[in-house]
Amino acid sequence: MHQPVATSQGAATSRVDTFRPRHLAPALAASARPGHPQLSYLSAVPRHMVHRAAIAEVFLTDAVRISEHGFLVAAQWPRDHALYSPGSDGTSDPLLFMETIRQSLVYLAHAYYDVPLNHRFIGLDSEFEITDPGALRIGGEPVPVVLEARWVWTGNRPPHRYGMRLEVVLTVGGQACGRGALHVVAVDDKRYAMLRGRGAKPRGVATTGSAPRPLQRANPAAVGRLRAKDCVLVRERADSPWQLLIDVEHPIYFDHPSDHVPLMVTLEGFRQLGHLLLHPGDTAPGAVHSLLGMEVDCLAFGELDAPIDLVVGERDVNAGTIRLTLHAMQGTTRLATCRARWGAAGPAAASTAHRVPVSSVA
C-alpha cells in the first residue's frame, strides 16, 4: 500500500462556501485510467482510518496522490453483501458508491491532510449519480473500482474545525460510470458538544433508540431488501406516514455507537421509500425502476429518541426518468431533503413478478 504524504494545512486553505455541488468536476486523470497499475487491491486500509468498527465493512484498498489536491482511490466492491445486495438487474447497489465516497473522504482527511483521528465528521450535503449502470454489472469476481477524486477546502479553520468537500468520478475497468460528492465538517469534541447541545453523548457510549412501539415494518421485497432486519420503514397503521426505524443494534447501520442517526441510515430510508412508491404492491423478484442518483441536504441532527417521518414532496416524470423529492422530519424540524432520480431497470426487470405484502409486523 502506498504511504500517505502529510501536507501543511495553511497553504491549502481557501473559502469556497458559495460553491454548490450540482456541477461536478470532470475526470481528473483520464490518461491514467487504463488499469490504474499504481493502485493495490491486496488488502483493505485500516478500519479506524475510515471510521468503521467491522473489517468486513471497509471497501477501500489504496489511495495515491496525483496532484496537490487530486487522488486516485481504489476500492473493492463485494459481489454480494448482507446489506448492499445486487439489484434485480444484476448491478452493484448504488449506495455502495456513496459509502465508498464517505470512506474515501475520511481516509484522505486523516492520511493526507492531518485531520485528527478523534475529530467528529458531520455531513452537510452529499450526492451521487450513476451515468452508466451497465458498467456496474456484477461478474465472476468482486468489482474493482477507482475514484478519481478532487479535494476542496470549504471554510477551513484548523485545528479545531475542518471544512472539506470531496468530488469524485467513478470508474470501473477504466470506464467512467458515475460521479459524486460529499461535503462535511470535522470538529473536535468541544465544538461537537456545542453543536449537539442536549443530544451529545460521551464518545463510545452506546445510545438507545426510542421506546418500542407496536409498529408495522415494511416487507423487505416491497423496499428492495432481502432481509426483514434491513428494512428501515415502519408505520403505526396502514394510513399512517412511513417513519424511519432506528435500530441501534443493527450491525451495519450502526457499525459503532452514535448519538444521532447516521447519514447512511437516512439515505437508506429515502431509497426504501422511493422503491416502495415506485413499486406499489411490490413486484418481486424484478423491480421495474432502479435508483440512479441522489442529492441530499443535511439540515439538522436526527435524534435517536423521537420518531422521524419520511414525507413525500414533489414527483416528476420526464422521458422515463422519475424524480422524487423526499423529506425527513422530526416533529417540526426538517432533518434532510433528498432529490432522488430513478430510471428503468435492466433486463432482469422483465422477470415474472408476483405481488407481496407491503408490510408486516415488526
Side-chain angles (χ1 to χ4, degrees):
M1 181 172 296
H2 297 270
Q3 294 300 314
V5 179
T7 60
S8 171
Q9 291 285 354
T13 301
S14 62
R15 290 189 62 86
V16 290
D17 299 82
T18 57
F19 181 85
R20 295 297 292 171
R22 305 309 175 209
H23 303 284
L24 300 174
L28 300 174
S31 62
R33 275 189 184 165
H36 294 301
Q38 64 269 54
L39 291 168
S40 171
Y41 293 87
L42 293 178
S43 61
V45 302
R47 57 192 173 90
H48 70 279
M49 294 290 282
V50 295
H51 295 191
R52 276 287 172 251
I55 296 174
E57 301 310 315
V58 179
F59 303 125
L60 298 196
T61 63
D62 201 4
V64 295
R65 183 180 233 132
I66 58 174
S67 66
E68 183 182 9
H69 296 301
F71 301 88
L72 298 178
V73 182
Q76 186 183 79
W77 289 356
R79 297 169 63 192
D80 202 356
H81 186 272
L83 180 60
Y84 301 115
S85 55
S88 61
D89 57 355
T91 60
S92 294
D93 188 324
L95 287 189
L96 258 177
F97 181 23
M98 193 66 244
E99 172 60 14
T100 304
I101 297 173
R102 187 201 67 79
Q103 292 190 16
S104 298
L105 181 146
V106 174
Y107 180 78
L108 295 176
H110 294 318
Y112 289 91
Y113 290 107
D114 295 332
V115 175
L117 285 169
N118 61 355
H119 271 38
R120 310 277 193 121
F121 283 68
I122 304 168
L124 300 179
D125 56 68
S126 64
E127 62 178 296
F128 74 88
E129 64 171 332
I130 304 299
T131 56
D132 182 6
L136 300 181
R137 193 167 302 282
I138 297 171
E141 57 186 29
V143 181
V145 306
V146 174
L147 300 189
E148 299 173 357
R150 181 168 74 98
W151 186 276
V152 182
W153 290 114
T154 61
N156 192 36
R157 295 191 293 275
H160 306 298
R161 181 190 189 276
Y162 297 83
M164 64 203 82
R165 174 180 169 78
L166 191 68
E167 302 171 356
V168 308
V169 173
L170 171 67
T171 69
V172 176
Q175 181 65 39
C177 54
R179 296 187 287 180
L182 177 61
H183 182 195
V184 309
V185 295
V187 297
D188 57 21
D189 282 343
K190 178 180 179 180
R191 281 157 185 77
Y192 183 78
M194 292 171 61
L195 288 171
R196 291 293 287 120
R198 71 173 182 86
K201 300 292 187 298
R203 184 184 296 274
V205 175
T207 306
T208 59
S210 53
R213 292 170 292 148
L215 297 173
Q216 292 182 331
R217 176 180 286 184
N219 186 284
V223 294
R225 300 290 83 192
L226 298 177
R227 307 184 304 177
K229 68 183 296 182
D230 298 331
C231 299
V232 297
L233 298 187
V234 293
R235 60 184 178 182
E236 295 183 8
R237 303 179 308 275
D239 59 347
S240 300
W242 288 104
Q243 296 178 352
L244 189 65
L245 175 64
I246 302 171
D247 179 8
V248 298
E249 300 299 327
H250 194 284
I252 303 175
Y253 291 140
F254 285 83
D255 169 78
H256 53 274
S258 176
D259 64 7
H260 63 276
V261 179
L263 170 63
M264 294 306 295
V265 177
T266 305
L267 295 188
E268 183 63 30
F270 286 140
R271 185 254 289 275
Q272 291 188 17
L273 181 57
H275 194 288
L276 187 66
L277 293 171
L278 298 180
H279 307 98
D282 183 90
T283 54
V288 178
H289 299 90
S290 60
L291 180 64
L292 296 178
M294 280 183 170
E295 297 175 1
V296 180
D297 295 320
C298 302
L299 307 172
F301 289 100
E303 305 297 345
L304 301 177
D305 56 358
I308 297 176
D309 292 332
L310 298 179
V311 180
V312 181
E314 299 178 359
R315 174 171 175 162
D316 178 66
V317 181
N318 185 13
T321 298
I322 301 175
R323 297 181 183 273
L324 296 173
T325 300
L326 307 169
H327 307 283
M329 304 289 299
Q330 193 160 53
T332 59
T333 301
R334 184 154 56 104
L335 305 179
T337 291
C338 172
R339 293 166 292 278
R341 184 168 68 91
W342 294 73
S351 302
T352 302
H354 63 276
R355 295 175 64 85
V356 300
V358 170
S359 59
S360 59
V361 177

